[in-house]
Amino acid sequence: NKSHSAAYAVLAYRTAYLRCNFPAQFLAAAMSSEEMSQNKLVVLIDDARRTGIVVSPPDINKSGLQFEYIDKAIRFGLQAVKNVGMAAAEALIAERVENGPYKSIYNLCKRMDLRKVNKRALEALIWAGAFDCFGKNRAQHLNVLENCLEAGQQKQRMMERGMQQKQRMKEYGIMSIEDFLFEREDDPEAPEDFLDVTEKTEEFYPDIMEMPDFELLSKEKSVLGMYFSSHPTMNAAAISGNAFDTAKAALNTASGMPVTMLGLVKSLKNTQTKKGKENMAMLVLEDHTGTVDAVVFPSAYKQFGAMLKKDAMIVAAGTWEVKGDRSSIDIKHIYTFEEGIEKLTKGLNVSLSLNDTKSEDIDKLYGIIKDNIGKMPLTLSVSQGSEYEFILPLASKFRIKPSEKFFRQMTECNCGFSCSVIIPEERTASSYIIEEVCEEDVL
């Protein structure tokens, strides 16, 4: 009994010493030990980031098998990427160590045994961002993956046929021209054409835009277990500005004050009240600043319960309630992001500079506006350097529907426009209906 206590005390002391004096190395080792459990891995990565330790994404030319602390950052291990597996990760690293860094996804497919590193593994690595180091976007890599696999399989077939042919020639005592000119195939003087049995394939990448942010981040989360390179609420928050509260702001709000938060439903538990057996929900809302708890009581659940789905982006309006050491949003109203922008703000503003805007850019803006006609007022902020700026409200026929399509088109047009919402002078609880709910009947 005492011997166990002493042993655990020594272990606890050593662990605490490593955590305090070598935090990055300690967390890298902890991540490697938990890499098969994505839920635990997410907690460790969040812990590292909160303490200022950089966690870098997977990189096909830098990542090891497991998490490693290199270049003042914890580098994501290839084995921790879902659908890659140990065998594929080991094969990729062994080839890289033996023959140098990969130059492109084409180069990788030609060098690897594609029976060990299959299409599913390569797709996972693309979604995880492991090929971003090649300078092409993930949509381009996904688009050319089939071509890369075909080129790699063709090279492997030709190499196998060439080896079989050489073996037959040796059996009959016939010397190939390469063997005649060079003593060994790996002779450093041998020209590259003799060492590569396939002709050099031109590497083609279509000129396409990256996939939409939400899709990219969702794919990233599916293989890494978390939103890694960014968060789906980042772009939405950049557009909405201070129109909505963040999780961090909500946590600093006084009890009973109104809160309107934009976030993702990170976790959801549908349950019932104890007495009336009415449906309600308890959830965790997440944004790029953190997480908060929230509760939807029966009266609100009847109206908005259908909108509550895991990973759904919502605008939750209600009051901040603090009871002892527990705090949460008492949600009264739920909006989609589009509805939140339309109903809780005064309009949209597009800023442009006369110095940088061309006539064709104005034509693109006009086309985007005509393609997204709605009910929301639109204004233009026009400037010329630092000399002057004027705001031009547009006619009612140019009112906008603030949809995801509109914001995506504004980003993809590459015209230098910036889009933001016009925030009311005061955001109050009067923008939504607050209903009194009897909490004695809850849980």
Coordinates of all heavy atoms in Angstrom, one line a residue, residues 362-407:
I362 N -15.9 47.4 -60.9 CA -17.2 47.9 -60.7 C -18.3 47.0 -61.4 O -19.3 46.7 -60.8 CB -17.3 49.3 -61.1 CG1 -16.3 50.2 -60.4 CG2 -18.8 49.8 -60.9 CD1 -16.6 50.3 -58.9
D363 N -17.9 46.6 -62.6 CA -18.9 45.7 -63.3 C -19.1 44.4 -62.5 O -20.2 43.8 -62.5 CB -18.3 45.4 -64.7 CG -18.3 46.6 -65.6 OD1 -19.1 47.5 -65.3 OD2 -17.5 46.7 -66.6
K364 N -18.0 43.8 -62.0 CA -18.1 42.6 -61.2 C -18.9 42.8 -59.9 O -19.8 42.0 -59.6 CB -16.7 42.1 -60.8 CG -15.8 41.5 -61.9 CD -14.5 41.0 -61.3 CE -13.6 40.5 -62.4 NZ -12.3 40.0 -61.9
L365 N -18.7 43.9 -59.3 CA -19.5 44.3 -58.1 C -21.0 44.4 -58.4 O -21.9 43.8 -57.7 CB -19.0 45.6 -57.4 CG -19.8 46.1 -56.2 CD1 -19.8 45.0 -55.1 CD2 -19.2 47.4 -55.7
Y366 N -21.3 45.0 -59.6 CA -22.7 45.2 -60.0 C -23.3 43.8 -60.3 O -24.5 43.5 -59.9 CB -22.7 46.0 -61.3 CG -24.1 46.2 -61.8 CD1 -25.0 47.1 -61.3 CD2 -24.5 45.5 -63.0 CE1 -26.3 47.2 -61.8 CE2 -25.8 45.6 -63.5 CZ -26.7 46.5 -62.9 OH -28.0 46.6 -63.4
G367 N -22.5 42.9 -60.9 CA -23.0 41.6 -61.2 C -23.3 40.8 -59.9 O -24.3 40.1 -59.8
I368 N -22.4 40.9 -58.9 CA -22.6 40.2 -57.6 C -23.9 40.7 -56.9 O -24.7 39.9 -56.4 CB -21.4 40.4 -56.7 CG1 -20.2 39.6 -57.3 CG2 -21.7 39.8 -55.3 CD1 -18.9 39.9 -56.6
I369 N -24.1 42.1 -56.9 CA -25.3 42.6 -56.3 C -26.5 42.2 -57.0 O -27.5 41.7 -56.3 CB -25.2 44.2 -56.3 CG1 -24.0 44.7 -55.4 CG2 -26.5 44.8 -55.8 CD1 -23.7 46.1 -55.5
K370 N -26.5 42.2 -58.3 CA -27.7 41.7 -59.0 C -28.0 40.2 -58.8 O -29.2 39.8 -58.9 CB -27.5 42.0 -60.5 CG -27.5 43.5 -60.9 CD -28.8 44.2 -60.7 CE -29.8 43.8 -61.7 NZ -31.1 44.6 -61.6
D371 N -27.0 39.5 -58.5 CA -27.1 38.0 -58.3 C -27.6 37.7 -56.9 O -27.9 36.6 -56.6 CB -25.8 37.3 -58.6 CG -25.9 35.8 -58.8 OD1 -27.0 35.4 -59.3 OD2 -25.0 35.1 -58.4
N372 N -27.6 38.7 -56.0 CA -28.0 38.5 -54.6 C -29.0 39.5 -54.1 O -28.9 40.0 -53.0 CB -26.7 38.5 -53.7 CG -25.8 37.4 -54.1 OD1 -25.9 36.3 -53.5 ND2 -24.8 37.6 -54.9
I373 N -30.0 39.8 -54.9 CA -31.0 40.8 -54.5 C -31.8 40.3 -53.3 O -32.2 39.1 -53.3 CB -31.9 41.1 -55.7 CG1 -31.2 41.8 -56.8 CG2 -33.1 41.9 -55.2 CD1 -30.6 43.2 -56.4
G374 N -31.9 41.1 -52.3 CA -32.7 40.7 -51.1 C -33.3 41.9 -50.4 O -33.8 42.8 -51.1
K375 N -33.3 41.9 -49.1 CA -34.0 43.0 -48.4 C -33.1 43.9 -47.5 O -33.6 44.8 -46.9 CB -35.1 42.3 -47.4 CG -36.1 41.5 -48.1 CD -37.1 40.9 -47.1 CE -38.1 40.0 -47.8 NZ -39.0 39.4 -46.8
M376 N -31.8 43.6 -47.5 CA -30.9 44.3 -46.6 C -30.3 45.6 -47.3 O -29.8 45.5 -48.4 CB -29.8 43.4 -46.2 CG -29.1 43.9 -45.0 SD -28.0 42.6 -44.2 CE -27.7 43.4 -42.7
P377 N -30.4 46.7 -46.7 CA -29.8 48.0 -47.2 C -28.3 47.8 -47.5 O -27.6 47.2 -46.7 CB -30.1 49.0 -46.2 CG -31.2 48.5 -45.4 CD -31.0 47.0 -45.4
L378 N -27.8 48.4 -48.6 CA -26.4 48.3 -49.0 C -25.9 49.7 -49.2 O -26.5 50.6 -49.8 CB -26.3 47.5 -50.2 CG -24.9 47.3 -50.8 CD1 -24.0 46.5 -49.8 CD2 -24.9 46.7 -52.2
T379 N -24.7 50.0 -48.6 CA -24.0 51.3 -48.8 C -22.6 51.0 -49.4 O -22.1 50.0 -49.2 CB -23.9 52.1 -47.5 OG1 -23.1 51.4 -46.6 CG2 -25.3 52.4 -46.9
L380 N -22.1 52.1 -50.0 CA -20.7 52.0 -50.5 C -19.9 53.1 -49.8 O -20.4 54.2 -49.7 CB -20.7 52.3 -52.0 CG -21.3 51.3 -53.0 CD1 -21.1 51.7 -54.4 CD2 -20.6 49.9 -52.8
S381 N -18.8 52.7 -49.3 CA -17.8 53.6 -48.7 C -16.7 53.8 -49.8 O -15.9 52.9 -50.0 CB -17.3 53.1 -47.4 OG -18.3 53.1 -46.4
V382 N -16.6 55.0 -50.4 CA -15.7 55.3 -51.4 C -14.6 56.2 -50.9 O -14.9 57.3 -50.3 CB -16.4 55.9 -52.6 CG1 -15.4 56.1 -53.8 CG2 -17.6 55.0 -53.1
S383 N -13.3 55.8 -51.1 CA -12.2 56.7 -50.7 C -11.2 56.8 -51.8 O -11.2 56.1 -52.7 CB -11.6 56.0 -49.4 OG -11.0 54.8 -49.8
Q384 N -10.4 57.8 -51.6 CA -9.2 58.1 -52.5 C -8.0 58.4 -51.6 O -7.8 59.5 -51.3 CB -9.5 59.2 -53.5 CG -8.3 59.3 -54.5 CD -8.7 60.2 -55.7 OE1 -9.8 60.8 -55.6 NE2 -8.0 60.1 -56.7
G385 N -7.3 57.3 -51.3 CA -6.1 57.4 -50.4 C -6.6 58.0 -49.1 O -7.6 57.5 -48.5
S386 N -5.9 59.0 -48.6 CA -6.3 59.6 -47.3 C -6.9 60.9 -47.5 O -7.2 61.7 -46.5 CB -5.0 59.7 -46.4 OG -4.1 60.5 -47.1
E387 N -7.2 61.3 -48.8 CA -7.7 62.6 -49.1 C -9.2 62.8 -48.6 O -9.5 63.7 -48.0 CB -7.6 62.9 -50.6 CG -6.1 62.9 -51.0 CD -6.1 63.2 -52.5 OE1 -7.1 63.6 -53.1 OE2 -5.0 63.0 -53.1
Y388 N -10.0 61.8 -49.0 CA -11.4 61.9 -48.6 C -12.1 60.6 -48.7 O -11.6 59.6 -49.2 CB -12.2 62.9 -49.5 CG -12.3 62.5 -51.0 CD1 -13.3 61.6 -51.4 CD2 -11.3 62.9 -51.9 CE1 -13.4 61.2 -52.7 CE2 -11.4 62.4 -53.2 CZ -12.5 61.6 -53.6 OH -12.5 61.2 -54.9
E389 N -13.3 60.5 -48.0 CA -14.1 59.3 -48.0 C -15.6 59.7 -47.9 O -15.9 60.6 -47.1 CB -13.7 58.4 -46.9 CG -14.6 57.1 -46.9 CD -14.2 56.2 -45.7 OE1 -13.4 56.6 -44.9 OE2 -14.7 55.0 -45.7
F390 N -16.4 59.2 -48.8 CA -17.8 59.5 -48.6 C -18.6 58.2 -48.7 O -18.2 57.2 -49.3 CB -18.3 60.5 -49.7 CG -18.2 59.9 -51.1 CD1 -19.2 59.2 -51.7 CD2 -17.0 60.2 -51.9 CE1 -19.1 58.7 -53.0 CE2 -16.9 59.7 -53.2 CZ -17.9 59.0 -53.7
I391 N -19.8 58.2 -48.0 CA -20.6 57.0 -47.9 C -21.9 57.2 -48.8 O -22.5 58.3 -48.7 CB -21.1 56.8 -46.5 CG1 -19.9 56.5 -45.6 CG2 -22.1 55.6 -46.4 CD1 -20.2 56.3 -44.2
L392 N -22.1 56.3 -49.7 CA -23.2 56.4 -50.7 C -24.2 55.3 -50.5 O -24.0 54.1 -50.8 CB -22.6 56.3 -52.1 CG -23.5 56.3 -53.3 CD1 -24.2 57.7 -53.4 CD2 -22.8 56.0 -54.6
P393 N -25.4 55.6 -49.9 CA -26.4 54.6 -49.8 C -27.0 54.3 -51.1 O -27.3 55.2 -51.9 CB -27.5 55.3 -48.9 CG -26.8 56.5 -48.3 CD -25.8 56.9 -49.3
L394 N -27.2 53.0 -51.4 CA -27.7 52.6 -52.7 C -29.2 52.6 -52.7 O -29.8 52.4 -51.7 CB -27.1 51.3 -53.1 CG -25.6 51.2 -53.3 CD1 -25.2 49.9 -53.9 CD2 -25.1 52.3 -54.3
A395 N -29.8 52.6 -53.9 CA -31.3 52.6 -54.0 C -31.8 51.3 -53.5 O -31.1 50.3 -53.4 CB -31.7 52.8 -55.5
S396 N -33.1 51.3 -53.2 CA -33.7 50.1 -52.6 C -33.7 48.9 -53.6 O -33.7 47.7 -53.1 CB -35.2 50.4 -52.2 OG -35.9 50.8 -53.4
K397 N -33.6 49.1 -54.9 CA -33.6 48.0 -55.8 C -32.2 47.3 -55.7 O -32.1 46.2 -56.3 CB -33.8 48.5 -57.2 CG -32.7 49.4 -57.8 CD -33.0 49.8 -59.2 CE -31.9 50.6 -59.8 NZ -32.2 51.0 -61.2
F398 N -31.2 47.8 -55.0 CA -30.0 47.2 -54.8 C -29.8 46.6 -53.4 O -28.7 46.4 -53.0 CB -28.8 48.2 -55.1 CG -28.7 48.6 -56.5 CD1 -28.9 49.9 -56.9 CD2 -28.5 47.7 -57.5 CE1 -28.8 50.4 -58.2 CE2 -28.4 48.1 -58.9 CZ -28.6 49.4 -59.2
R399 N -30.9 46.3 -52.8 CA -30.8 45.7 -51.5 C -30.3 44.2 -51.6 O -30.5 43.6 -52.6 CB -32.2 45.7 -50.7 CG -32.6 47.1 -50.4 CD -33.7 47.2 -49.4 NE -33.9 48.6 -48.9 CZ -34.4 48.9 -47.8 NH1 -34.8 47.9 -46.9 NH2 -34.5 50.2 -47.4
I400 N -29.6 43.8 -50.6 CA -28.8 42.5 -50.7 C -29.4 41.4 -49.8 O -30.0 41.6 -48.7 CB -27.4 42.8 -50.2 CG1 -26.6 43.5 -51.4 CG2 -26.6 41.6 -49.8 CD1 -26.4 42.6 -52.6
K401 N -29.2 40.2 -50.3 CA -29.4 39.0 -49.4 C -28.1 38.6 -48.9 O -27.2 38.1 -49.7 CB -30.1 37.9 -50.3 CG -30.3 36.6 -49.5 CD -31.0 35.5 -50.4 CE -31.2 34.3 -49.5 NZ -31.8 33.2 -50.4
P402 N -27.8 38.7 -47.6 CA -26.5 38.4 -47.0 C -26.2 36.9 -46.9 O -26.0 36.4 -45.8 CB -26.6 39.1 -45.7 CG -28.0 39.0 -45.3 CD -28.8 39.1 -46.5
S403 N -26.2 36.2 -48.0 CA -26.0 34.8 -48.0 C -24.5 34.4 -48.0 O -23.7 35.3 -48.3 CB -26.7 34.2 -49.1 OG -26.2 34.6 -50.4
E404 N -24.2 33.1 -47.7 CA -22.9 32.6 -47.8 C -22.4 32.8 -49.3 O -21.2 33.1 -49.5 CB -22.8 31.2 -47.4 CG -21.5 30.6 -47.3 CD -20.9 30.0 -48.6 OE1 -21.8 29.7 -49.5 OE2 -19.7 29.9 -48.8
K405 N -23.3 32.7 -50.2 CA -22.9 32.8 -51.7 C -22.4 34.3 -51.9 O -21.4 34.5 -52.6 CB -24.1 32.5 -52.5 CG -23.8 32.6 -54.0 CD -25.0 32.3 -54.9 CE -25.8 33.5 -55.1 NZ -26.8 33.4 -56.1
F406 N -23.1 35.2 -51.4 CA -22.7 36.6 -51.6 C -21.3 36.9 -51.0 O -20.5 37.5 -51.7 CB -23.7 37.6 -50.9 CG -23.3 39.0 -50.9 CD1 -23.3 39.8 -52.0 CD2 -22.8 39.6 -49.7 CE1 -22.8 41.1 -51.9 CE2 -22.4 40.9 -49.6 CZ -22.4 41.7 -50.7
F407 N -21.1 36.5 -49.8 CA -19.8 36.7 -49.2 C -18.7 36.0 -49.9 O -17.5 36.5 -50.1 CB -19.8 36.4 -47.7 CG -20.7 37.2 -46.9 CD1 -21.8 36.7 -46.2 CD2 -20.5 38.6 -46.8 CE1 -22.7 37.5 -45.5 CE2 -21.4 39.4 -46.1 CZ -22.4 38.9 -45.4

